Amino acid sequence: MKIAIDEDRCRGHGVCCTLCPEVFDLNDDGYSEVLTPEVPDEHRETVRVAIAQCPERAISEA
């Protein structure tokens, strides 16, 4: 599973970072970034929840 964040849609709510800090973090500007585009198996379900919970729908499977 590969993921990406649409930088134009992300507003820095940080929901993804809260749900899965192993995969997501906030950059210096306060917007989410993907730490590991190839999601490890043990985090796939949590990342799917983060995708569904993103208020801006900025996360997608690449």
Side-chain angles (χ1 to χ4, degrees):
M1 169 184 210
K2 290 186 179 188
I3 58 169
I5 294 179
D6 182 336
E7 295 175 8
D8 292 331
R9 296 186 81 165
C10 179
R11 295 294 173 248
H13 297 287
V15 174
C16 56
C17 301
T18 301
L19 290 170
C20 195
E22 300 84 3
V23 176
F24 301 100
D25 197 9
L26 293 179
N27 64 22
D28 292 339
D29 294 325
Y31 296 102
S32 295
E33 66 182 359
V34 178
L35 298 174
T36 174
E38 183 67 42
V39 178
D41 290 341
E42 64 268 20
H43 299 300
R44 286 184 180 191
E45 188 57 37
T46 308
V47 168
R48 286 190 175 106
V49 171
I51 291 170
Q53 295 296 317
C54 178
E56 305 300 333
R57 300 291 183 235
I59 310 166
S60 61
E61 288 191 52

